Amino acid sequence: MDTETTHHNGNADSRESSVERELNEEVQAVELNSSSDSPKDLNGLMKKPLPVGDGHDRIKRRAKRLIHRQNSRGETNGAASAALAAAISAGSAGSYVVPHRRWKNSRRSRNGHGRGLPKKGGAGGKGVWGLPGSEALEEVYEDENDPNYDSECNDKNIELREVIPEVTPEEFFKLAEPIVLEYYEHGDTHEVAVSFDEILTGPLRPHVTSVVVEISMDHKDSQREMTSVLISDLYGRVITAKDIERGFEILLDNLPDLTLDTPDAPTILGNFLARAVADDCLPPKFVTKPTDLDAQNQLAIAAIRRADTLLHMKQGWAHLDNVWGMGGPLRPVKTITKEMTLLLKEYLSSRDIQEAHRCLRALEVPHFHHELVYEAIVMTLESLSQTTEEAMCELLKSLDEACLVLPAGMEQGFLRVFDDMADIVLDVPLAYIILDRFVERCNRAGFITDKILSNMPSRGRKRFVSEGDGGHIKPQTIPIRD
């Protein structure tokens, strides 16, 4: 009967592919083999086959290879697929397991969809790291379903730009103040220019002048002189004439607030204006012909008039270089010595210790305070008065307690007097006696060191009987070598 069916369907078989014919022959061979080795059940279905030899394994491997080849081509297998599905459905009813397929080890998709190829193209599965080279693309291909996926961070259209935060005038004042205070210590304008370049932006350049002038108002004339030099050196390097002009306009507008801390702020600002004009940092018309003078406050008008007066003085431009005076270390030694002498004379006439302290601080020469001690002792020796001795001892004691004169300066002043006693005694014959009495008084006051006492000089001339003090008898002749 099988032979007749085969001849009857000859035309259909001719249209089948060679793969389908081989698959049908292998299925029939499996059925014949199973029918010869094991009996059938009542329903005519095949039971679970017994283990077969090498011939049966060869058939299974060949069938599997043909199925893989067919699926890789993407062809449809109508008759073979229908026969295989009928055999599987018949085997499921009687616990039939297809002998040529190990479903446990199969990597095909079991959801009934797809072409039957391995999942993930052979790159997935347990113990598999993925396709070769996929580790380099791990960050490129990100899963949007991942809970850690951030759409904003992974947006490929982001454009990064450098953003410089804007500094407010208040923040700029806090940044510039330590730079200016450090400049008062070292006096290097180049370092200040480099520091300002690091923190300056375009809108803040007019605030450079206003900040440095405002800081200098809380300091002495020597620091104000350094501030004028700083503005002159920064002109053309960090700031322009327009920036300086705008900076002084800011100061003129803020004068009512500045006078709360510095009552003479209009006078100081007027000096700065005149000095800036003399240094060619400001045009003269900014002072001589100011714009909107009526709209300015009274303090600003006073500052402008002060600057105009300084510029129109006789030879005023030549004297504007010393508008702040000459600072402590910049003055010559003779000038400092003369001012210290006037300070001591004023103290002897008034006995105002606090005023003497204030004048000594105003000199700003802490390294030269030993000169004050020297002049005070010499003035005491020349006065020949115990009242002067008491006053000078009281002054030196107060200077030591206030730490205006350091122990090293006090010691240096006394030792200088001891070294010059040979010259002083020519003008003051009783200088040794007065010096002994003054040093003893200072020792009782407790502000001189043991080194001063140990270096105390004594008169080295020999005394004779003719002087009435019981000395040696004068020789009748004096040797030539004497």
Side-chain angles (χ1 to χ4, degrees), residues 461-475:
R461 189 177 67 85
K462 295 182 180 180
R463 297 182 297 276
F464 298 96
V465 176
S466 61
E467 297 178 359
D469 55 359
H472 298 283
I473 298 175
K474 291 183 179 181

Side-chain angles (χ1 to χ4, degrees), residues 2 6 11 31 43 113 136 138 153 160 177 179 186 192 194-195 211 255 348 411 425 430 455 471:
D2 294 337
T6 303
N11 296 330
E31 291 177 354
N43 297 328
H113 302 285
E138 182 177 0
C153 295
L160 300 178
E177 185 175 9
I179 298 175
H186 57 71
V192 179
V194 173
S195 301
V211 167
L255 266 181
L348 290 177
E411 181 179 316
V425 75
L430 301 178
N455 290 302

Side-chain angles (χ1 to χ4, degrees), residues 119-167:
K119 295 183 294 182
K120 301 182 182 179
K126 182 178 180 181
V128 180
W129 291 94
L131 291 174
S134 61
E135 65 276 2
L137 305 176
E138 182 177 0
E139 298 182 358
V140 178
Y141 299 100
E142 297 184 357
D143 188 8
E144 297 183 359
N145 297 324
D146 189 355
N148 297 326
Y149 178 78
D150 190 357
S151 60
E152 296 181 359
C153 295
N154 295 312
D155 191 358
K156 298 181 180 179
N157 297 326
I158 294 178
E159 182 180 358
L160 300 178
R161 296 179 181 177
E162 183 181 2
V163 178
I164 301 176
E166 296 184 0
V167 182

Side-chain angles (χ1 to χ4, degrees), residues 166-211:
E166 296 184 0
V167 182
T168 61
E170 292 77 12
E171 295 176 350
F172 176 71
F173 184 88
K174 294 180 181 179
L175 295 174
E177 185 175 9
I179 298 175
V180 178
L181 295 179
E182 186 178 357
Y183 163 70
Y184 291 156
E185 299 294 333
H186 57 71
D188 188 0
T189 57
H190 176 71
E191 184 175 348
V192 179
V194 173
S195 301
F196 275 142
D197 282 334
E198 295 177 356
I199 63 175
L200 267 181
T201 57
L204 292 177
R205 296 188 183 277
H207 291 273
V208 174
T209 306
S210 62
V211 167

Side-chain angles (χ1 to χ4, degrees), residues 123-340:
K126 182 178 180 181
V128 180
W129 291 94
L131 291 174
S134 61
E135 65 276 2
L137 305 176
E138 182 177 0
E139 298 182 358
V140 178
Y141 299 100
E142 297 184 357
D143 188 8
E144 297 183 359
N145 297 324
D146 189 355
N148 297 326
Y149 178 78
D150 190 357
S151 60
E152 296 181 359
C153 295
N154 295 312
D155 191 358
K156 298 181 180 179
N157 297 326
I158 294 178
E159 182 180 358
L160 300 178
R161 296 179 181 177
E162 183 181 2
V163 178
I164 301 176
E166 296 184 0
V167 182
T168 61
E170 292 77 12
E171 295 176 350
F172 176 71
F173 184 88
K174 294 180 181 179
L175 295 174
E177 185 175 9
I179 298 175
V180 178
L181 295 179
E182 186 178 357
Y183 163 70
Y184 291 156
E185 299 294 333
H186 57 71
D188 188 0
T189 57
H190 176 71
E191 184 175 348
V192 179
V194 173
S195 301
F196 275 142
D197 282 334
E198 295 177 356
I199 63 175
L200 267 181
T201 57
L204 292 177
R205 296 188 183 277
H207 291 273
V208 174
T209 306
S210 62
V211 167
V212 297
V213 172
E214 185 175 348
I215 294 174
S216 67
M217 287 185 178
D218 298 332
H219 292 77
K220 301 177 182 178
D221 289 343
S222 59
Q223 280 81 17
R224 292 165 188 165
E225 172 67 23
M226 296 177 69
T227 302
S228 297
V229 174
L230 178 62
I231 294 175
S232 178
D233 289 350
L234 293 181
Y235 171 66
R237 298 173 57 187
V238 179
I239 52 179
T240 62
K242 293 293 184 181
D243 297 332
I244 298 176
E245 185 175 347
R246 177 56 184 156
F248 279 110
E249 290 177 356
I250 296 174
L251 290 169
L252 292 173
D253 295 338
N254 295 337
L255 266 181
D257 296 333
L258 297 177
T259 51
L260 298 178
D261 298 329
T262 309
D264 55 345
T267 303
I268 297 174
L269 185 57
N271 293 346
F272 271 113
L273 286 171
R275 178 63 180 272
V277 173
D279 292 340
D280 293 332
C281 298
L282 273 179
K285 67 177 182 179
F286 185 82
V287 176
T288 57
K289 298 179 181 180
T291 57
D292 299 334
L293 183 61
D294 298 335
Q296 298 287 346
N297 54 73
Q298 296 297 326
L299 298 175
I301 295 175
I304 293 175
R305 289 178 177 174
R306 164 82 178 176
D308 190 18
T309 303
L310 292 175
L311 291 174
H312 286 84
M313 286 194 312
K314 185 178 181 180
Q315 297 181 351
W317 287 54
H319 294 291
L320 284 177
D321 291 339
N322 297 326
V323 68
W324 302 113
M326 298 185 67
L330 301 178
R331 287 174 290 186
V333 176
K334 292 183 178 180
T335 303
I336 299 175
T337 303
K338 182 178 180 180
E339 291 183 358
M340 287 185 174

Side-chain angles (χ1 to χ4, degrees), residues 77-92:
N77 189 0
S81 300
L84 186 60
I88 293 174
S89 60
S92 61

Side-chain angles (χ1 to χ4, degrees), residues 7-56:
H7 289 289
H8 180 70
N9 296 331
N11 296 330
D13 292 338
S14 62
R15 291 192 298 267
E16 292 179 355
S17 63
S18 61
V19 177
E20 294 176 355
R21 287 195 299 269
E22 291 176 2
L23 184 59
N24 292 333
E25 293 174 357
E26 291 174 358
V27 172
Q28 293 174 5
V30 172
E31 291 177 354
L32 293 175
N33 187 15
S34 60
S35 61
S36 62
D37 294 338
S38 60
K40 296 181 181 180
D41 58 358
L42 298 176
N43 297 328
L45 296 176
M46 186 183 299
K47 293 184 179 181
K48 184 175 181 180
L50 296 174
V52 296
D54 296 337
H56 190 63

